[in-house]
Amino acid sequence: MTILISGAGVAGPALAYWLTRHGRRVEIVERAPEPRAGGYKVDVRGAASTVLGRMGLLAAAKAADTGMRRITYVSKRGKTIAALPADLIMGRRGDDVEIMRGDLGRILHDATVEETDYRFGDAIASLEDGPDGVDVTFTSGRAGRYELVVGADGLHSATRRQVFGEVPLTHLGGNIAIFTTENTLGIDREEIMYAEPGRLIFAYAAGGPARVGMIFAGEPKSSIDEAFRGGGWRTAELLAAMQKAGDLYFDSLSQVEAPRWSSGRVALLGDAAHCPSPASGQGTSMALVGAYVLAEALAEAGDHTAAFATYESRMRPYVAKNMAFGRRMVKDMVPGGRFAIAFRNYGMRTLKYHPRKEQVIERVLAPLREAATAIAI
């Protein structure tokens, strides 16, 4: 029988890669009409880089690296406060990769498309778990019985909701909007940061259009226009560009950690099971690692019940480290008062003169390195 995966982002295709190499038949169903080409830049670090290496895809990911050279902090009037090497500030070392999410998705899709049955433009409408398989009805009207079903369908997972009911999100106090727009900023391989109390704008380009992010404090899905009204730098221009964007992503900065990741023949993977929020920068890495661990557990165990238990017990400590890191980092993504911003700007402005700046950054980013490597692969 076939294993059904819901979601063709990162976690789903990564799981399909390993399952097919263990001799399993896999179908992936995805609501989108085709592989998603957009998205923002994501990091692959630590244990996840090891997984990509074992897939034989690390070289391809490195070839598609964003190649960001500089992080620039600007003032209300657009004056440069500090400009620092991107790899230094973002803590990328060794085999760490920063890649556009769409590029990583394409690499995973291309590596799995010949051995995996992809069904785009469809989704699970209902499922019924039984002793001999899971009976699934799709929104297209087709139906089938599957050996197992894996929900890899993100923060707002429909699979999780159908099987486990409503699992409340933990709101971290902020919201994020990301969109693509014309590169009127004139940047290339550079990211610009502009902060005011309770709100942050970042914009970057990697040889093409600009991606803009707007983060602000507030209740889930509060008004972006109200949050950024009267902002400095080029806030008004970017708000106008957002209204015209065709790929706007807008959501709360939230975490979800399902109390359990499996029920019967259905399991959860990636953000559907444990979304650390964009603040952690670790969601993609956790998806890659989880796919590897789940596939290995299914290959080694005599039945799915034992495999799901092994998968969850191995992943839980790693997930806990990364969830904690996400909660910590949201304080940097949602700026505090003017004093806190001034203190941060002073630190960035003087860092390049520090004789031991590499050691200073390593100490600051030590929790990230610890979270990224908190599991043996």
Side-chain angles (χ1 to χ4, degrees), residues 168-237:
L169 304 184
T170 301
H171 183 52
L172 300 182
N175 296 277
I176 182 169
I178 300 177
F179 58 93
T180 303
T181 186
E182 182 183 354
N183 188 1
T184 58
L185 300 172
I187 52 178
D188 183 32
R189 314 293 168 180
E190 179 182 9
E191 183 166 4
I192 297 178
M193 300 275 195
Y194 173 64
E196 293 181 352
R199 55 195 186 188
L200 169 73
I201 296 176
F202 63 89
Y204 58 88
R211 263 81 173 191
V212 178
M214 308 183 83
I215 301 173
F216 61 98
E219 293 302 309
K221 301 294 186 72
S222 301
S223 169
I224 305 175
D225 289 329
E226 290 183 10
F228 282 91
R229 183 175 295 136
W233 186 45
R234 300 173 73 162
T235 299
E237 173 189 338

Side-chain angles (χ1 to χ4, degrees), residues 81-82 339-353:
I81 295 170
F339 177 78
I341 294 172
F343 183 77
R344 193 279 312 274
N345 288 344
Y346 173 79
M348 292 301 177
R349 187 168 57 247
T350 58
L351 180 63
K352 65 180 179 179
Y353 304 109

Side-chain angles (χ1 to χ4, degrees), residues 1-6 15 19 24-28 116-117 145-150 265 298:
M1 295 175 66
T2 299
I3 295 176
L4 175 66
I5 300 171
S6 176
L15 178 61
L19 289 177
R24 312 301 282 268
R25 294 170 55 189
V26 179
E27 177 184 323
I28 293 181
T116 301
D117 182 10
R145 174 170 289 185
Y146 297 87
E147 178 186 358
L148 305 171
V149 173
V150 179
R265 291 178 174 269
L298 286 167

Side-chain angles (χ1 to χ4, degrees), residues 82-376:
L84 297 159
D87 283 347
L88 173 69
I89 296 301
M90 304 311 291
R92 289 185 287 274
R93 304 291 184 270
D95 284 335
D96 293 352
V97 179
E98 181 182 69
I99 184 172
M100 299 305 295
R101 189 180 187 277
D103 288 340
L104 180 58
R106 172 184 51 78
I107 290 169
L108 291 168
H109 176 266
D110 290 350
T112 55
V113 67
E114 291 187 3
E115 297 177 316
T116 301
D117 182 10
Y118 278 89
R119 303 290 187 98
F120 289 97
D122 206 354
I124 296 174
S126 64
L127 53 83
E128 184 175 348
D129 195 355
D132 300 319
V134 186
D135 292 321
V136 179
T137 301
F138 297 89
T139 56
S140 63
R142 67 185 181 93
R145 174 170 289 185
Y146 297 87
E147 178 186 358
L148 305 171
V149 173
V150 179
D153 45 351
L155 172 65
H156 301 288
S157 168
T159 309
R160 184 183 66 230
R161 186 167 55 252
Q162 289 184 49
V163 177
F164 301 94
E166 290 295 337
V167 176
L169 304 184
T170 301
H171 183 52
L172 300 182
N175 296 277
I176 182 169
I178 300 177
F179 58 93
T180 303
T181 186
E182 182 183 354
N183 188 1
T184 58
L185 300 172
I187 52 178
D188 183 32
R189 314 293 168 180
E190 179 182 9
E191 183 166 4
I192 297 178
M193 300 275 195
Y194 173 64
E196 293 181 352
R199 55 195 186 188
L200 169 73
I201 296 176
F202 63 89
Y204 58 88
R211 263 81 173 191
V212 178
M214 308 183 83
I215 301 173
F216 61 98
E219 293 302 309
K221 301 294 186 72
S222 301
S223 169
I224 305 175
D225 289 329
E226 290 183 10
F228 282 91
R229 183 175 295 136
W233 186 45
R234 300 173 73 162
T235 299
E237 173 189 338
L238 295 175
L239 280 173
M242 181 190 70
Q243 300 299 329
K244 302 175 184 177
D247 64 344
L248 175 64
Y249 167 86
F250 179 41
D251 211 336
S252 64
L253 287 173
S254 296
Q255 292 186 333
V256 62
E257 187 168 8
R260 65 188 193 282
W261 300 346
S262 65
S263 175
R265 291 178 174 269
V266 182
L268 301 175
L269 177 65
D271 282 356
H274 45 69
C275 177
S277 89
S280 74
Q282 281 292 99
T284 299
S285 290
M286 293 166 70
L288 290 168
V289 171
Y292 176 83
V293 172
L294 176 54
E296 289 295 299
L298 286 167
E300 294 169 1
D303 65 272
H304 65 275
T305 302
F308 289 164
T310 298
Y311 154 64
E312 186 164 345
S313 65
R314 284 201 64 201
M315 285 291 292
R316 280 285 183 184
Y318 171 68
V319 166
K321 286 277 188 183
N322 284 280
M323 299 288 276
F325 182 74
R327 291 189 291 272
R328 172 177 175 170
M329 288 306 296
V330 77
K331 297 176 183 177
D332 289 339
M333 291 189 75
V334 182
R338 296 189 182 280
F339 177 78
I341 294 172
F343 183 77
R344 193 279 312 274
N345 288 344
Y346 173 79
M348 292 301 177
R349 187 168 57 247
T350 58
L351 180 63
K352 65 180 179 179
Y353 304 109
H354 199 293
R356 297 172 63 84
K357 55 180 173 292
E358 289 82 7
Q359 290 87 341
V360 170
I361 292 296
E362 283 297 325
R363 188 163 58 249
V364 171
L365 294 177
L368 171 58
R369 305 306 302 172
E370 182 181 352
T373 58
I375 187 170

